[in-house]
Short mmCIF file of all heavy atoms in Angstrom, two decimals:
data_model
loop_
_atom_site.label_atom_id
_atom_site.label_comp_id
_atom_site.label_asym_id
_atom_site.label_seq_id
_atom_site.Cartn_x
_atom_site.Cartn_y
_atom_site.Cartn_z
N LEU Y 527 0.17 -9.81 -17.74
CA LEU Y 527 1.05 -10.39 -18.80
C LEU Y 527 1.40 -9.29 -19.83
O LEU Y 527 0.95 -8.18 -19.68
CB LEU Y 527 0.33 -11.56 -19.47
CG LEU Y 527 -0.04 -12.69 -18.49
CD1 LEU Y 527 -0.88 -13.76 -19.17
CD2 LEU Y 527 1.22 -13.31 -17.87
N TYR Y 528 2.15 -9.69 -20.83
CA TYR Y 528 2.60 -8.76 -21.86
C TYR Y 528 3.40 -7.56 -21.32
O TYR Y 528 3.29 -6.50 -21.86
CB TYR Y 528 1.39 -8.24 -22.64
CG TYR Y 528 0.63 -9.38 -23.40
CD1 TYR Y 528 -0.53 -9.94 -22.88
CD2 TYR Y 528 1.12 -9.81 -24.62
CE1 TYR Y 528 -1.17 -10.94 -23.53
CE2 TYR Y 528 0.43 -10.83 -25.32
CZ TYR Y 528 -0.74 -11.40 -24.74
OH TYR Y 528 -1.39 -12.41 -25.39
N ASN Y 529 4.09 -7.86 -20.25
CA ASN Y 529 5.04 -6.76 -19.78
C ASN Y 529 6.30 -6.81 -20.62
O ASN Y 529 7.37 -7.30 -20.17
CB ASN Y 529 5.33 -6.96 -18.25
CG ASN Y 529 4.10 -6.64 -17.40
OD1 ASN Y 529 3.75 -5.51 -17.31
ND2 ASN Y 529 3.51 -7.66 -16.83
N GLU Y 530 6.19 -6.28 -21.80
CA GLU Y 530 7.27 -6.27 -22.74
C GLU Y 530 7.35 -4.95 -23.47
O GLU Y 530 6.29 -4.40 -23.73
CB GLU Y 530 7.14 -7.42 -23.77
CG GLU Y 530 7.05 -8.79 -23.17
CD GLU Y 530 7.53 -9.86 -24.15
OE1 GLU Y 530 7.85 -9.54 -25.29
OE2 GLU Y 530 7.51 -11.03 -23.71
N THR Y 531 8.52 -4.57 -23.84
CA THR Y 531 8.60 -3.45 -24.76
C THR Y 531 9.57 -3.83 -25.87
O THR Y 531 10.66 -4.27 -25.59
CB THR Y 531 9.18 -2.21 -23.99
OG1 THR Y 531 8.22 -1.85 -23.02
CG2 THR Y 531 9.41 -1.01 -24.93
N ASN Y 532 9.16 -3.57 -27.07
CA ASN Y 532 9.95 -3.96 -28.27
C ASN Y 532 10.44 -5.35 -28.18
O ASN Y 532 11.58 -5.66 -28.46
CB ASN Y 532 11.10 -2.99 -28.47
CG ASN Y 532 10.58 -1.55 -28.76
OD1 ASN Y 532 9.59 -1.43 -29.37
ND2 ASN Y 532 11.35 -0.52 -28.32
N GLY Y 533 9.63 -6.25 -27.59
CA GLY Y 533 9.96 -7.67 -27.60
C GLY Y 533 10.80 -8.08 -26.40
O GLY Y 533 11.14 -9.25 -26.27
N MET Y 534 11.22 -7.12 -25.56
CA MET Y 534 12.04 -7.48 -24.34
C MET Y 534 11.14 -7.65 -23.18
O MET Y 534 10.43 -6.70 -22.72
CB MET Y 534 12.99 -6.29 -24.09
CG MET Y 534 14.48 -6.57 -24.38
SD MET Y 534 15.12 -7.52 -23.07
CE MET Y 534 15.27 -6.33 -21.76
N ALA Y 535 11.14 -8.86 -22.62
CA ALA Y 535 10.26 -9.10 -21.51
C ALA Y 535 10.94 -8.67 -20.18
O ALA Y 535 12.16 -8.67 -20.10
CB ALA Y 535 9.93 -10.60 -21.47
N ILE Y 536 10.13 -8.39 -19.21
CA ILE Y 536 10.64 -8.10 -17.84
C ILE Y 536 11.10 -9.43 -17.27
O ILE Y 536 10.76 -10.50 -17.74
CB ILE Y 536 9.55 -7.54 -16.94
CG1 ILE Y 536 8.31 -8.50 -16.89
CG2 ILE Y 536 9.14 -6.12 -17.41
CD1 ILE Y 536 7.47 -8.29 -15.65
N ASN Y 537 11.86 -9.30 -16.21
CA ASN Y 537 12.13 -10.48 -15.42
C ASN Y 537 10.83 -10.98 -14.81
O ASN Y 537 9.92 -10.27 -14.53
CB ASN Y 537 13.08 -10.10 -14.19
CG ASN Y 537 14.49 -10.06 -14.63
OD1 ASN Y 537 14.90 -10.47 -15.73
ND2 ASN Y 537 15.37 -9.52 -13.75
N ASN Y 538 10.75 -12.36 -14.68
CA ASN Y 538 9.52 -12.85 -14.04
C ASN Y 538 9.44 -12.32 -12.62
O ASN Y 538 10.35 -12.35 -11.85
CB ASN Y 538 9.68 -14.42 -13.90
CG ASN Y 538 9.94 -15.10 -15.23
OD1 ASN Y 538 9.47 -14.64 -16.25
ND2 ASN Y 538 10.59 -16.22 -15.19
N THR Y 539 8.22 -11.76 -12.37
CA THR Y 539 8.10 -11.06 -11.07
C THR Y 539 6.75 -11.46 -10.43
O THR Y 539 5.76 -10.71 -10.40
CB THR Y 539 8.14 -9.51 -11.26
OG1 THR Y 539 9.28 -9.23 -12.15
CG2 THR Y 539 8.35 -8.80 -9.94
N PRO Y 540 6.75 -12.64 -9.85
CA PRO Y 540 5.47 -13.08 -9.12
C PRO Y 540 5.49 -12.50 -7.70
O PRO Y 540 6.05 -13.11 -6.77
CB PRO Y 540 5.53 -14.55 -9.16
CG PRO Y 540 7.01 -14.90 -9.20
CD PRO Y 540 7.70 -13.75 -9.88
N THR Y 541 4.95 -11.30 -7.51
CA THR Y 541 4.97 -10.66 -6.19
C THR Y 541 4.01 -11.37 -5.22
O THR Y 541 2.88 -11.59 -5.60
CB THR Y 541 4.57 -9.20 -6.32
OG1 THR Y 541 5.30 -8.60 -7.45
CG2 THR Y 541 4.90 -8.44 -5.03
N ILE Y 542 4.50 -11.65 -4.06
CA ILE Y 542 3.65 -12.28 -3.05
C ILE Y 542 3.41 -11.24 -1.93
O ILE Y 542 4.33 -10.68 -1.39
CB ILE Y 542 4.39 -13.55 -2.48
CG1 ILE Y 542 4.81 -14.52 -3.53
CG2 ILE Y 542 3.48 -14.16 -1.35
CD1 ILE Y 542 3.64 -15.16 -4.26
N GLY Y 543 2.13 -11.09 -1.59
CA GLY Y 543 1.76 -10.20 -0.50
C GLY Y 543 1.15 -11.07 0.55
O GLY Y 543 0.19 -11.78 0.35
N GLY Y 544 1.76 -11.02 1.80
CA GLY Y 544 1.24 -11.89 2.85
C GLY Y 544 0.68 -11.12 4.07
O GLY Y 544 1.07 -10.00 4.32
N VAL Y 545 -0.24 -11.75 4.74
CA VAL Y 545 -0.75 -11.21 5.99
C VAL Y 545 -0.58 -12.19 7.11
O VAL Y 545 -0.86 -13.40 6.96
CB VAL Y 545 -2.29 -10.92 5.79
CG1 VAL Y 545 -2.96 -10.41 7.06
CG2 VAL Y 545 -2.50 -9.90 4.64
N GLY Y 546 -0.18 -11.70 8.24
CA GLY Y 546 -0.10 -12.48 9.46
C GLY Y 546 -0.76 -11.81 10.65
O GLY Y 546 -1.06 -10.65 10.59
N LEU Y 547 -0.95 -12.61 11.70
CA LEU Y 547 -1.69 -12.12 12.83
C LEU Y 547 -0.85 -12.15 14.12
O LEU Y 547 -0.16 -13.18 14.34
CB LEU Y 547 -2.97 -13.00 13.05
CG LEU Y 547 -3.80 -12.72 14.24
CD1 LEU Y 547 -4.47 -11.32 14.15
CD2 LEU Y 547 -4.85 -13.81 14.42
N ILE Y 548 -0.91 -11.11 14.87
CA ILE Y 548 -0.37 -11.12 16.22
C ILE Y 548 -1.51 -11.06 17.18
O ILE Y 548 -2.32 -10.12 17.07
CB ILE Y 548 0.59 -9.91 16.40
CG1 ILE Y 548 1.82 -9.97 15.49
CG2 ILE Y 548 1.03 -9.73 17.84
CD1 ILE Y 548 2.66 -8.70 15.50
N ASN Y 549 -1.61 -12.04 18.11
CA ASN Y 549 -2.75 -12.03 19.00
C ASN Y 549 -2.66 -11.13 20.16
O ASN Y 549 -3.64 -10.67 20.68
CB ASN Y 549 -2.98 -13.43 19.50
CG ASN Y 549 -3.85 -14.25 18.56
OD1 ASN Y 549 -4.91 -13.71 18.09
ND2 ASN Y 549 -3.47 -15.43 18.19
N ASP Y 550 -1.42 -10.85 20.55
CA ASP Y 550 -1.21 -9.92 21.68
C ASP Y 550 0.11 -9.20 21.45
O ASP Y 550 1.16 -9.74 21.41
CB ASP Y 550 -1.12 -10.73 23.01
CG ASP Y 550 -1.00 -9.81 24.19
OD1 ASP Y 550 -0.66 -8.64 24.04
OD2 ASP Y 550 -1.21 -10.31 25.34
N ILE Y 551 -0.06 -7.88 21.29
CA ILE Y 551 1.10 -7.07 20.85
C ILE Y 551 2.07 -6.76 22.02
O ILE Y 551 3.03 -6.06 21.82
CB ILE Y 551 0.66 -5.75 20.25
CG1 ILE Y 551 -0.18 -4.92 21.21
CG2 ILE Y 551 -0.05 -5.98 18.98
CD1 ILE Y 551 -0.59 -3.59 20.70
N THR Y 552 1.76 -7.21 23.25
CA THR Y 552 2.66 -6.81 24.37
C THR Y 552 4.11 -7.04 24.12
O THR Y 552 4.90 -6.19 24.44
CB THR Y 552 2.17 -7.62 25.62
OG1 THR Y 552 0.76 -7.48 25.72
CG2 THR Y 552 2.81 -7.03 26.90
N PHE Y 553 4.44 -8.17 23.45
CA PHE Y 553 5.84 -8.48 23.32
C PHE Y 553 6.59 -7.42 22.42
O PHE Y 553 7.81 -7.34 22.50
CB PHE Y 553 6.04 -9.89 22.65
CG PHE Y 553 5.65 -9.99 21.23
CD1 PHE Y 553 6.57 -9.68 20.21
CD2 PHE Y 553 4.42 -10.38 20.85
CE1 PHE Y 553 6.21 -9.73 18.90
CE2 PHE Y 553 4.01 -10.51 19.54
CZ PHE Y 553 4.97 -10.18 18.53
N LEU Y 554 5.83 -6.65 21.61
CA LEU Y 554 6.46 -5.77 20.72
C LEU Y 554 7.03 -4.55 21.50
O LEU Y 554 7.93 -3.84 20.97
CB LEU Y 554 5.47 -5.19 19.69
CG LEU Y 554 5.06 -6.16 18.58
CD1 LEU Y 554 3.92 -5.59 17.77
CD2 LEU Y 554 6.25 -6.41 17.65
N GLU Y 555 6.59 -4.33 22.76
CA GLU Y 555 7.14 -3.22 23.50
C GLU Y 555 8.61 -3.27 23.66
O GLU Y 555 9.31 -2.20 23.64
CB GLU Y 555 6.52 -3.19 24.95
CG GLU Y 555 5.08 -2.62 24.91
CD GLU Y 555 4.38 -2.83 26.30
OE1 GLU Y 555 5.09 -3.07 27.25
OE2 GLU Y 555 3.15 -2.77 26.30
N LYS Y 556 9.16 -4.49 23.75
CA LYS Y 556 10.64 -4.55 23.93
C LYS Y 556 11.23 -5.43 22.83
O LYS Y 556 12.09 -6.25 23.09
CB LYS Y 556 10.97 -5.11 25.33
CG LYS Y 556 10.66 -4.15 26.42
CD LYS Y 556 11.17 -4.63 27.78
CE LYS Y 556 10.86 -3.57 28.82
NZ LYS Y 556 10.62 -4.21 30.12
N PHE Y 557 10.79 -5.20 21.63
CA PHE Y 557 11.29 -5.97 20.55
C PHE Y 557 11.54 -5.11 19.34
O PHE Y 557 10.80 -4.22 19.09
CB PHE Y 557 10.30 -7.11 20.18
CG PHE Y 557 10.71 -7.88 18.98
CD1 PHE Y 557 11.72 -8.84 19.01
CD2 PHE Y 557 10.06 -7.67 17.74
CE1 PHE Y 557 12.13 -9.51 17.85
CE2 PHE Y 557 10.45 -8.39 16.64
CZ PHE Y 557 11.46 -9.34 16.71
N GLY Y 558 12.59 -5.37 18.63
CA GLY Y 558 12.77 -4.65 17.33
C GLY Y 558 14.15 -4.08 17.14
O GLY Y 558 14.62 -3.87 16.01
N TYR Y 559 14.88 -3.88 18.21
CA TYR Y 559 16.19 -3.21 18.15
C TYR Y 559 17.29 -4.10 18.86
O TYR Y 559 17.06 -4.59 19.94
CB TYR Y 559 16.18 -1.85 18.81
CG TYR Y 559 15.21 -0.94 18.06
CD1 TYR Y 559 13.91 -0.83 18.48
CD2 TYR Y 559 15.68 -0.13 17.04
CE1 TYR Y 559 13.01 0.03 17.83
CE2 TYR Y 559 14.81 0.75 16.36
CZ TYR Y 559 13.49 0.80 16.75
OH TYR Y 559 12.60 1.63 16.10
N ALA Y 560 18.43 -4.18 18.19
CA ALA Y 560 19.55 -4.87 18.85
C ALA Y 560 20.05 -3.89 19.96
O ALA Y 560 20.22 -2.74 19.72
CB ALA Y 560 20.71 -5.07 17.85
#
Side-chain angles (χ1 to χ4, degrees):
Chain Y
L527 301 174
Y528 297 98
N529 288 291
E530 300 206 359
T531 296
N532 295 330
M534 249 282 287
I536 59 159
N537 279 349
N538 301 330
T539 314
T541 313
I542 304 295
V545 174
L547 175 68
I548 295 172
N549 271 314
D550 184 343
I551 58 175
T552 311
F553 73 84
L554 285 172
E555 280 169 20
K556 287 188 181 150
F557 175 73
Y559 297 89

